[in-house]
C-alpha cells in the first residue's frame, strides 16, 4: 500500500504540474514559434477528444501511455475549469497508481526472477518485447505517412 500511495502522490504532482504548465502556456504558445508543434496530429486528436469528452478523457488517459501527458497539458491549455479537472485527476491518478503498484511491480518482479533463474530466457523475452514495440511504432509511422 505504501507503493501505491507514493505512486499516487507522484502522479498527482506530475499530472497537476503538466496541467499547470498547459494553463500558463495557453494561448501564447499558439501564437509563438511552437504553434507548428502544437498542431501535430497527436495534439489535434487529443484536443478534439478533450473538447468533446472533457474530464472523462483526462481520467481515462491515465490508463494509456503517451496520451496522458498530452491530455493533461491540453486540459490546462484549454483552461478546463478546476472543478471539472480535479475529480478526473484524483480518479485517474488513483487508477494509475493502483495499476502500476500491482501489475507493474508484479511484472518487474517476474522479470527479475526470470533473469535470475533463466537469463537466456529473460533476454529473449525482453528482445521479443522490444521487437514488438519497434514493429508497432514502424507500422504506425508508415500508416500515418500514407494517410492524406
Amino acid at each position: 500500500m505504501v507503493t501505491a500511495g507514493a505512486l499516487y502522490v507522484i502522479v498527482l504532482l506530475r499530472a497537476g504540474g503538466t496541467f499547470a504548465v498547459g494553463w500558463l502556456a495557453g494561448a501564447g504558445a499558439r501564437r509563438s514559434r511552437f504553434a507548428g508543434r502544437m498542431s501535430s496530429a497527436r495534439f489535434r486528436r487529443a484536443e478534439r477528444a478533450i473538447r468533446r469528452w472533457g474530464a472523462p478523457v483526462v481520467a481515462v488517459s491515465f490508463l494509456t501511455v503517451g496520451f496522458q501527458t498530452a491530455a493533461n497539458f491540453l486540459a490546462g491549455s484549454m483552461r478546463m475549469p478546476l472543478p471539472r479537472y480535479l475529480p478526473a485527476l484524483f480518479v485517474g491518478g488513483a487508477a494509475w497508481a493502483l495499476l502500476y503498484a500491482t501489475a507493474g511491480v508484479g511484472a518487474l518482479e517476474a522479470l527479475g526472477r526470470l533473469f535470475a533463474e533463466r537469463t537466456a530466457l529473460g533476454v529473449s523475452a525482453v528482445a521479443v518485447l522490444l521487437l514488438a514495440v519497434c514493429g508497432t511504432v514502424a507500422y504506425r509511422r508508415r500508416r500515418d505517412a500514407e494517410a492524406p
Side-chain angles (χ1 to χ4, degrees):
M1 231 2 140
V2 173
T3 303
L7 288 172
Y8 188 57
V9 169
I10 289 168
V11 77
L12 290 180
L13 292 173
R14 181 182 170 273
T18 304
F19 177 83
V21 168
W23 185 277
L24 294 173
R30 287 192 170 94
R31 288 179 284 205
S32 71
R33 64 181 183 184
F34 299 110
R37 291 182 187 166
M38 291 186 70
S39 64
S40 70
R42 175 180 254 174
F43 270 91
R44 283 196 310 267
R45 277 195 309 266
E47 190 173 32
R48 279 194 306 268
I50 288 171
R51 280 189 182 148
R52 184 170 181 189
W53 300 103
V57 169
V58 172
V60 172
S61 75
F62 286 92
L63 303 178
T64 67
V65 176
F67 183 69
Q68 174 185 353
T69 302
N72 282 284
F73 181 83
L74 289 171
S77 68
M78 292 180 356
R79 307 277 199 247
M80 180 183 283
L82 284 177
R84 292 188 64 209
Y85 175 75
L86 290 177
L89 173 65
F90 294 142
V91 170
W96 180 89
L98 290 174
L99 180 69
Y100 277 85
T102 55
V105 171
L108 286 176
E109 285 180 9
L111 195 58
R113 278 195 205 127
L114 185 62
F115 270 100
E117 295 171 8
R118 298 184 178 174
T119 305
L121 188 58
V123 170
S124 299
V126 169
V128 167
L129 285 173
L130 286 174
L131 286 172
V133 168
C134 290
T136 302
V137 168
Y139 170 76
R140 286 183 178 179
R141 284 186 179 174
R142 187 176 320 138
R143 183 190 64 198
D144 289 345
E146 292 174 358

